[in-house]
Amino acid sequence: MNILIVYAHPESQSLNGSLKDFAVSHLQAAGHNVQVSDLYAMQWKAALDAGDNTAPAPGPFKPSQDSQRAYKNGTQSPDIAAEQEKLQWADTVIFQFPLWWFSMPAIMKGWVERVYAYGFAYGVGEHSDKHWGDRYGEGNMAGKRAMLMVTTGGWEPHYSARGINGPIDDLLFPINHGILHYPGFTVLPPLVFYRTDLTDETRYAHMRHELAERLNTLDSTSPVPFRQQNSGDYDIPALTLKADITPERKGFAAHLK
């Protein structure tokens, strides 16, 4: 299996750095091909701007249109094109990051904004009264798996159904559903490590064991059962769930089968 790890932590000797190194060695020992996009080490440019198109059009910068033009004409910044090649190569993508201010680090968000070009990760497929683009279960990433590997200093109860920080699945929903499911990835349940500031040798050994188990089952773990946009559950073009589809559910939970 070809596995890409998109990794965001500024310190190579951190817990995240150690877990990333363990994941790479464990996967390679199992016979997988592994690439790592270490965003801080790469000094990844996070800001999406007109410079992402090496042949910018005259006039005001329009992110979507410029992204579409650059992707279509082969004039994307080389760093963007290189990351897209990695995504096309990968069978499974692991996004590893610490949970900072309830989301991914800015450098990883910037990776998404720049690499997910119009025509590559969005803006694809037929738009009609029956099919509103290839997205949410369809698209260029269809057939590939993706998983979040997240660390947080908070306690697990803080992220429970009644925890002060909100349920972890709700916090990660915009990433799992919007960044992964949207362009077509089959999304695996996230692997979350809590109270990381209190990690000792015993706890670290437990983390590595849990991580190894997840890595060993990347191709067999049951995915998050997100609904597909064009599967018949949604009214098109309103893109709201049909009235007879789990009418008792509201919010994020309604979009799970």
Side-chain angles (χ1 to χ4, degrees):
M1 188 189 306
N2 294 336
I3 299 173
L4 170 64
I5 299 176
V6 183
Y7 169 76
H9 197 287
E11 177 52 65
S12 62
Q13 298 184 59
S14 64
L15 173 64
N16 266 276
S18 181
L19 290 173
K20 180 261 294 178
D21 291 343
F22 173 80
V24 171
S25 61
H26 185 85
L27 290 167
Q28 289 177 336
H32 301 295
N33 302 309
V34 183
Q35 292 193 63
V36 178
S37 289
D38 185 339
L39 302 185
Y40 282 96
M42 294 161 60
Q43 297 185 316
W44 178 261
K45 180 177 85 72
L48 184 154
D49 56 31
D52 291 340
N53 186 349
T54 61
F61 170 58
K62 297 181 179 180
S64 293
Q65 292 89 330
D66 278 34
S67 174
Q68 180 186 36
R69 188 181 306 110
Y71 178 70
K72 180 179 180 181
N73 295 336
T75 57
Q76 295 180 114
S77 175
D79 58 344
I80 294 174
E83 295 305 295
Q84 291 173 348
E85 288 181 6
K86 292 178 187 177
L87 282 174
Q88 291 171 326
W89 166 86
D91 301 305
T92 298
V93 183
I94 298 171
F95 291 82
Q96 182 188 348
F97 58 92
L99 192 68
W100 286 351
W101 288 107
F102 300 90
S103 188
M104 57 175 55
I107 197 170
M108 182 173 281
K109 180 59 161 50
W111 183 92
V112 173
E113 291 181 0
R114 297 183 65 225
V115 174
Y116 275 28
Y118 189 114
F120 178 74
Y122 73 103
V124 300
E126 167 199 353
H127 282 71
S128 67
D129 290 341
K130 295 182 179 180
H131 187 103
W132 198 257
D134 295 340
R135 58 182 197 166
Y136 289 116
E138 300 174 293
N140 287 334
M141 298 301 111
K144 302 176 183 290
R145 292 189 155 215
M147 183 185 80
L148 304 182
M149 189 168 91
V150 182
T151 60
T152 177
W155 297 21
E156 187 168 1
H158 299 176
Y159 296 94
S160 64
R162 291 171 58 83
I164 186 67
N165 290 340
I168 190 65
D169 287 341
D170 284 2
L171 293 178
L172 297 179
F173 184 90
I175 302 174
N176 278 326
H177 190 260
I179 293 177
L180 302 185
H181 184 54
Y182 186 106
F185 281 111
T186 296
V187 185
L188 304 183
L191 175 60
V192 183
F193 294 115
Y194 301 94
R195 299 186 72 181
T196 53
D197 290 343
L198 301 178
T199 302
D200 57 18
E201 287 300 323
T202 300
R203 184 169 172 77
Y204 178 61
H206 177 75
M207 288 180 178
R208 292 202 310 175
H209 177 73
E210 188 176 357
L211 174 56
E213 288 189 335
R214 290 301 300 271
L215 296 176
N216 292 340
T217 57
L218 287 174
D219 61 347
S220 60
T221 296
S222 296
V224 180
F226 289 130
R227 299 182 185 278
Q228 291 199 355
Q229 175 187 280
N230 296 306
S231 65
D233 288 350
Y234 295 88
D235 284 319
I236 298 176
L239 298 182
T240 54
L241 280 168
K242 293 181 176 179
D244 61 338
I245 301 293
T246 58
E248 73 283 359
R249 291 190 192 176
K250 308 293 181 184
F252 294 157
H255 302 290
L256 297 170
K257 295 179 182 177

